[in-house]
């Protein structure tokens, strides 16, 4: 080595710059604060809507929302490819190229996103009159507004303007539940899907009030779009497959059971979706920061330690959220929504996915980064998971095991997916010390084991509540058991692996 050469670790930019936990949590505080407010309001509004409508009508409204969610999954991948290029250009201060990438991505993808909404509206012509037909007719507006809001949020986040995203998220978190209560109270079942549509339109327009503007312009550069398509198609398809995987449980129940059963399942799944969305505030901050640092060459033990700390912090937050949800859901349903009591056991099972979904965030982002460029392998993992989940759900429903078995499939398959994603990305994170990887695995395995045991214990309690025999003592025992599980998770995770957690 000559006198001018530097060791590899010294030559690589220090990931502490944007991956310090204090910096990440501070950046995510606005998003997380909005998510916490939104979570409380959304769950409360959902309870009111379910109380007024009952399982059957609630299920009808949720069916339309389910169709909307599938429609928003249809992407070409041009936007995803443009965002990865956008972040890469910004990391090298190439503002003009970054803006060009953004404009091509948004212009092309907005047209693509409108197509499934139009198809749904055409299908609505052949439906009998009723609430579902109304929902299908307004699908084009619903899908474009939802997709457009997502594009704008992603672009502001990519600029690391999390203050803007946090403010809009807070407005959305406040407006959505208010509209849901107002619409359901005045027009009934249609309010279930009209409230999110109006909320999406208003909040998407709100992004244009902030300065400096994004500089969005129509741009249909065919050559650039094709280059983004080549990179982004796996990323776009990955998003589609991932969300189809997330929705496969609800879809299976919707197609194979009665409307009332689907109403119960979707009611149990709604708080889980809210909780994972709340944790998504941190994930939104991680994406541009991790991709930026990887573009700058982050590697070595410093990078490995940050990856571990971020993963364990997400597990602490997600585990606490799952424990609090399991503690509070049953008493609230028992007190205010007796017709929805069968959903308690469903929620207790599905709550485990609140813990399992976020823990693979870091390795997932690593695989999708421009530097590692393993998005096709990442896509194959989720594709297999989707197919396995579909097959498992068909099997349990044909065996007559019902919606609870479908919920259990979501849990064990997600556990397997997390393991595979970690192992696939391991060589890009723990390059120097594989022992760190196994220490992290041991901690996560301990947390998952504690969560599963706690859920089994709560299941007996849920059976008592479903049969109408749960008294105040039973409620206190349930909350106490969930609290013990939460504390055990913290003791397992907040150990040596998180020394120095607040640095950066």
């Amino acid at each position: 080595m000559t006198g001018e050469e530097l060791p590899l670790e010294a030559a690589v930019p220090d990931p502490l710059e944007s991956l310090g936990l204090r910096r990440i949590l501070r950046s995510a505080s606005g998003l997380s604060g909005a998510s916490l407010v939104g979570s409380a309001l959304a769950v409360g509004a959902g309870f009111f809507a379910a109380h007024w409508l009952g399982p059957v009508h609630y299920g009808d409204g949720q069916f339309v929302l389910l169709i909307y969610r599938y429609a928003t999954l249809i992407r070409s991948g041009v936007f995803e490819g443009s965002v990865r290029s956008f972040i890469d250009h910004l990391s090298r201060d190439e503002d003009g190229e970054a803006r060009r990438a953004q404009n091509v991505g948004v212009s092309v993808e907005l047209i693509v996103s409108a197509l499934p909404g139009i198809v749904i509206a055409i299908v609505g012509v052949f439906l009998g009159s009723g609430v579902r037909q109304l929902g299908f007719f307004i699908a084009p507006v619903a899908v474009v507004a939802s997709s457009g809001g997502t594009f704008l949020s992603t672009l502001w986040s990519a600029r690391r303007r999390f203050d803007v995203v946090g403010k809009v998220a807070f407005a959305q978190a406040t407006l959505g539940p208010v509209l849901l209560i107002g619409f359901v109270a005045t027009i009934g079942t249609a309010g279930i899907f009209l409230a999110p549509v109006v909320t999406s339109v208003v909040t998407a327009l709100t992004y244009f009030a902030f300065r400096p503007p994004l500089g969005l312009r129509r741009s249909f550069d065919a050559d650039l779009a094709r280059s983004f398509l080549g990179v982004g198609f796996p990323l776009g398809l990955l998003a589609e497959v991932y969300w189809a995987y997330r929705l496969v449980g609800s879809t299976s129940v919707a197609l194979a059971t009665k409307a009332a059963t689907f109403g119960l399942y979707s009611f149990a799944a709604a708080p889980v979706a809210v909780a994972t969305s709340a944790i998504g505030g941190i994930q939104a901050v991680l994406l541009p920061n991790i991709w930026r640092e990887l573009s700058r060459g982050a590697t070595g033990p410093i990078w490995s330690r940050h990856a571990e700390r971020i993963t364990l912090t997400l597990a602490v937050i997600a585990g606490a959220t799952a424990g609090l949800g399991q503690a509070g859901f049953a008493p609230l349903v028992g007190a205010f929504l007796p017709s929805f009591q069968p959903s308690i056991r469903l929620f207790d099972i599905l709550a485990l996915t609140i813990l399992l979904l976020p823990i693979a965030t870091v390795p997932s982002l690593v695989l999708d980064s421009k530097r590692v460029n393993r998005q096709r392998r990442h896509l194959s993992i989720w594709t297999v998971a989707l197919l396995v989940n579909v097959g498992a759900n068909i099997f349990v429903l044909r065996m007559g095991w019902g919606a609870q078995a479908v919920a259990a499939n979501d849990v064990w398959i997600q556990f397997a997916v997390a393991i595979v994603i970690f192992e696939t990305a391991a060589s890009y994170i723990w390059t120097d010390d594989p022992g760190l990887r196994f220490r992290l695995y041991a901690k996560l395995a301990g947390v998952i084991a504690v969560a599963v045991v706690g859920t089994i214990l709560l299941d007996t309690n849920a059976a008592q509540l479903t049969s109408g025999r749960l008294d105040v003592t039973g409620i206190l025992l349930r909350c106490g058991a969930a609290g013990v599980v939460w504390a055990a998770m913290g003791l397992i995770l907040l150990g040596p692996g998180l020394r120095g957690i607040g640095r950066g």
Side-chain angles (χ1 to χ4, degrees), residues 403-485:
Q404 290 182 33
V406 172
N409 283 339
D410 279 357
V411 174
W412 73 261
I413 293 172
Q414 180 56 40
F415 174 70
V417 167
I419 293 174
V420 174
I421 289 176
F422 267 106
E423 280 301 293
T424 304
S427 61
Y428 308 105
I429 302 175
W430 296 282
T431 54
D432 298 320
D433 188 357
L436 293 175
R437 175 163 106 252
F438 296 115
R439 183 181 69 181
L440 175 63
Y441 288 177
K443 285 177 173 288
L444 294 177
V447 167
I448 293 168
V450 168
V452 170
V453 170
T455 301
I456 293 172
L457 293 175
L458 290 173
D459 187 61
T460 302
N461 186 261
Q464 293 176 341
L465 180 55
T466 303
S467 63
R469 294 184 285 107
L470 186 65
D471 55 13
V472 175
T473 302
I475 292 175
L476 293 175
L477 287 173
R478 179 182 184 85
C479 294
V484 169
V485 171

Side-chain angles (χ1 to χ4, degrees), residues 64 67-68 71 113-128 130-144:
V64 174
I67 297 299
Y68 289 173
S113 67
L115 297 178
I118 295 172
V119 171
I120 294 171
I122 294 172
V123 172
V125 174
F126 301 98
L127 295 179
V131 68
R132 292 190 178 187
Q133 185 181 56
L134 172 62
F136 279 42
F137 279 162
I138 65 171
V141 177
V143 175
V144 171

Side-chain angles (χ1 to χ4, degrees), residues 312 443 489-500:
L312 292 178
K443 285 177 173 288
M489 289 181 182
L491 289 174
I492 292 171
L493 292 175
L494 295 174
L498 282 183
R499 286 174 184 166

